[in-house]
Amino acid sequence: MNQTVVSFLAQYEFFDFLTKIFGENSLLLTTLIFLIFSVAFVAVAATIGGLGTYAERKISADIQMRMGPNRVGPYGLLQFLADGVKMMMKEDIMPRTADKFLFYLAPLLCLLGVFATLAVLPVSSGFTLTDLNVGVFYLIAISSLVGLGVFLGGYASNSKWSMLGGMRGASQIISYEIPVTLSVLAITLLSGSMSFGKITDLQAGFITNWFVFHNPFAFLAFIVYFVGAMAETNRAPFDLPEAESELVSGYHTEYTGMRFGFFALAEYIEVFVVSAVAAALFLGGYNLPFHISIDFLPIQFVQLSILVGKALMLYYVVIWARWTFPRLRVDHLMSVCWKYLTPIAIFNLVGCAVWMVAFNGQSLAQLIFGH
Amino acid sequence: MFLNTLFVMSALLTVVSAVLVLTTKNIMHSCVFLLGSLIGIAGLYATLGADFVAATQVMVYVGGVVILMLFAVMLTGGKDFVSKAQNLMGLAPTMGNAWTYGVSALVGLVFLFTNIQLLTRLGTMSKLKNDGAFESTVNKIGHLLVKDHILSFEISSVLLLGALVGAAIIARPRKQ
């Protein structure tokens, strides 16, 4: 049975009070709770995405010894709000020859794909919207909507820059899904489950229980996952779909105002999502380094901040990589995926399977230090 | 009750998108509506407790098939492909012979009777136990795949490998 936020809240006393008002198994109550939590998730994710643009500019400024945004609000923190207001005030231009329906749909598909992944994001043991049995699989599946949005955005604009960018984006996202999925499969093999909750619970305890340190193959799988995820989210050095030196701005060249904002926001939220997934699958997720009873409600917020903290550290690495490495060439990009990452990922998968059989599922630390 | 509502929403999405696939003139738009229909079917699977099948549906169709279809449509004409030949009623009589019409009539009859059978049982089917407490199907599917159905699993993987190698050979530049 799938654990959801509703079934988590049902164990507390105030829930009895709510069931008295709404009645047992009420449709309204379930919908309401899901609605409140979904809106909260989306709002927080959008804020993180917005702050991501600020962090990107600030960190890049730091790397290049500049100041970065520092006028709007303390340390320029409110810069992203000003940007958002500016984007909303802008004129909404659509090229005359564009495919109207697809042009409007594409940014929304991008956002939909990213927001749909939030449903299984394991932010804490209770507040996860729903802990699906096939959570990891669902997340990989639904995030391919982003690729579709990128592709349709490029196609619908009816401009050659956009078209090239969209085609590059679609082929890149489809290609890099393979090493990413194979690396995730290695973790599924180690944990014997596709549910985020169970995968995270298996990593409870000290740092040596994290799957990234489980065996050497899992460590490699983490690196392959991270590189692949960076390419899947179109981040530099893999940002060929929007390579501004060759394609103006790639698939969103023709988009103005908030429609462009949707693409940008989707990208930044997706980076956060893949960082959080990396944290949950490889870096112990929301677990505290010591055992504690999770029945106490404020613990949920501690777990929440632990996961978000880990995700933001990886987020920093993604931004850091963007301002450090030069962009790849298209043929290099494809050969990195198909000739290097995919064989390495398959090797990791087989290696993990052999490790599980050879050492009876024990991790490296267990073998060295005993139990 | 919650699942029933979601089921009805998924069913509506499936049916409305399927109708739009047929009625729209632009083939790219058809592809996008087909996407909605396939997602709706995934929703139907999910609300009926087949979580793994639902995720696979999204994985295979949304992530693979629809993108490939869009690529194929775009590379073979895109929106200029708005077909004048979609005048089905005018063209239908010339598109087959007695044999094809006979077969399609038979298929139509089977479909009709199956639907009548299903519809007459509607009252009893809605009384199925449906409290949201479905068992997970993933473990069972995994065990069945590598134990009872290992042969068919391997045969299909060899088939897919053949398709992959075949595609690579076709796409390979010819040596003069």
Side-chain angles (χ1 to χ4, degrees):
Chain A
M1 194 185 139
N2 296 326
Q3 163 106 26
T4 62
V5 65
V6 178
S7 63
F8 166 74
L9 289 177
Q11 61 177 315
Y12 289 102
E13 280 173 12
F14 63 86
F15 200 81
D16 299 336
F17 175 68
L18 288 174
T19 46
K20 264 176 207 153
I21 302 173
F22 289 98
E24 288 284 330
N25 276 334
S26 150
L27 169 70
L28 189 66
L29 180 61
T30 317
T31 317
L32 212 63
I33 293 176
F34 271 127
L35 197 70
I36 291 169
F37 271 85
S38 312
V39 169
F41 265 63
V42 167
V44 170
T47 315
I48 288 177
L51 281 172
T53 62
Y54 166 76
E56 171 108 54
R57 296 169 67 178
K58 208 70 182 171
I59 293 165
S60 73
D62 217 28
I63 288 172
Q64 297 172 343
M65 296 183 76
R66 292 184 283 113
M67 291 300 284
N70 59 357
R71 297 287 153 180
V72 194
Y75 305 103
L77 260 173
L78 300 177
Q79 182 68 43
F80 77 98
L81 284 180
D83 285 345
V85 169
K86 182 194 79 174
M87 279 181 186
M88 275 186 225
M89 305 288 271
K90 272 191 169 180
E91 188 187 355
D92 183 22
I93 301 171
M94 192 178 68
R96 201 185 309 140
T97 51
D99 190 328
K100 204 170 191 172
F101 171 67
L102 296 181
F103 193 82
Y104 284 157
L105 190 71
L108 299 181
L109 269 181
C110 269
L111 267 189
L112 179 72
V114 176
F115 284 150
T117 56
L118 296 177
V120 290
L121 206 63
V123 290
S124 80
S125 54
F127 287 163
T128 309
L129 274 178
T130 166
D131 185 12
L132 287 179
N133 282 312
V134 288
V136 180
F137 194 41
Y138 164 85
L139 190 131
I140 292 168
I142 203 77
S143 61
S144 55
L145 271 179
V146 180
L148 203 65
V150 166
F151 175 72
L152 282 180
Y155 168 79
S157 305
N158 208 352
S159 125
K160 47 181 171 286
W161 314 121
S162 301
M163 179 72 105
L164 282 171
M167 285 176 73
R168 278 184 184 181
S171 56
Q172 177 179 330
I173 290 170
I174 293 175
S175 305
Y176 276 89
E177 248 173 30
I178 292 164
V180 167
T181 311
L182 285 172
S183 307
V184 172
L185 204 58
I187 295 305
T188 310
L189 199 69
L190 295 181
S191 62
S193 170
M194 286 202 280
S195 134
F196 274 113
K198 202 177 166 205
I199 290 176
T200 313
D201 287 343
L202 283 171
Q203 305 176 69
F206 199 60
I207 200 166
T208 46
N209 285 0
W210 292 3
F211 276 139
V212 66
F213 301 124
H214 188 278
N215 60 48
F217 303 107
F219 186 75
L220 275 178
F222 173 65
I223 294 170
V224 170
Y225 172 87
F226 199 65
V227 173
M230 235 149 85
E232 237 190 307
T233 48
N234 299 332
R235 294 288 302 182
F238 305 104
D239 61 343
L240 286 147
E242 46 195 286
E244 61 268 32
S245 52
E246 5 177 340
L247 294 182
V248 187
S249 185
Y251 57 90
H252 50 58
T253 305
E254 306 291 340
Y255 283 86
T256 54
M258 207 53 209
R259 292 188 197 288
F260 160 74
F262 285 162
F263 274 123
L265 198 61
E267 183 187 317
Y268 280 98
I269 301 173
E270 205 191 359
V271 173
F272 175 73
V273 168
V274 296
S275 306
V277 169
L281 290 181
F282 295 94
L283 303 180
Y286 51 70
N287 281 311
L288 292 150
F290 45 86
H291 182 74
I292 196 162
S293 168
I294 56 167
D295 295 335
F296 185 50
L297 201 55
I299 288 295
Q300 298 295 330
F301 292 98
V302 178
Q303 291 183 333
L304 192 85
S305 49
I306 285 177
L307 184 95
V308 172
K310 282 175 182 168
L312 288 183
M313 271 180 216
L314 291 175
Y315 205 130
Y316 180 82
V317 176
V318 172
I319 294 174
W320 180 18
R322 170 167 182 179
W323 297 97
T324 312
F325 296 121
R327 185 179 295 134
L328 270 77
R329 228 168 61 193
V330 177
D331 54 333
H332 288 173
L333 181 87
M334 284 299 155
S335 61
V336 164
C337 175
W338 291 105
K339 292 185 183 164
Y340 296 92
L341 286 185
T342 307
I344 293 172
I346 293 173
F347 171 73
N348 286 336
L349 187 61
V350 176
C352 279
V354 170
W355 182 281
M356 291 300 275
V357 174
F359 299 111
N360 207 11
Q362 285 179 309
S363 70
L364 197 58
Q366 278 171 334
L367 285 176
I368 295 173
F369 303 118
H371 285 277
Chain B
M1 190 62 206
F2 187 65
L3 278 180
N4 284 348
T5 318
L6 286 183
F7 181 86
V8 170
M9 281 163 68
S10 309
L12 274 179
L13 177 65
T14 312
V15 173
V16 170
S17 317
V19 170
L20 284 171
V21 170
L22 294 177
T23 52
T24 182
K25 296 276 184 196
N26 188 329
I27 195 162
M28 287 297 267
H29 295 186
S30 285
C31 272
V32 175
F33 288 129
L34 186 65
L35 175 81
S37 190
L38 294 167
I39 289 179
I41 290 172
L44 293 184
Y45 286 140
T47 48
L48 290 173
D51 47 3
F52 182 73
V53 185
T56 314
Q57 167 90 7
V58 176
M59 184 87 188
V60 171
Y61 285 100
V62 177
V65 171
V66 169
I67 291 188
L68 277 185
M69 281 169 80
L70 286 171
F71 256 111
V73 169
M74 192 186 70
L75 293 176
T76 53
K79 78 171 181 359
D80 305 328
F81 204 67
V82 178
S83 177
K84 297 182 196 81
Q86 276 188 347
N87 175 17
L88 270 183
M89 283 305 153
L91 276 174
T94 63
M95 277 162 58
N97 52 28
W99 167 243
T100 50
Y101 280 112
V103 171
S104 52
L106 190 69
V107 171
L109 276 179
V110 170
F111 192 64
L112 184 70
F113 283 123
T114 320
N115 273 338
I116 289 174
Q117 283 268 328
L118 285 175
L119 287 177
T120 47
R121 289 186 197 168
L122 208 60
T124 54
M125 271 160 59
S126 62
K127 282 171 197 143
L128 286 172
K129 206 172 81 176
N130 189 5
D131 52 359
F134 291 115
E135 254 185 272
S136 169
T137 56
V138 190
N139 295 339
K140 281 185 200 158
I141 288 175
H143 279 278
L144 282 176
L145 263 186
V146 293
K147 278 183 181 162
D148 294 9
H149 301 285
I150 184 73
L151 186 65
S152 40
F153 181 68
E154 287 299 327
I155 288 175
S156 51
S157 62
V158 169
L159 182 75
L160 287 174
L161 185 67
L164 197 68
V165 173
I169 286 176
I170 289 172
R172 193 175 56 173
R174 268 164 230 269
K175 283 177 196 149
Q176 291 297 327

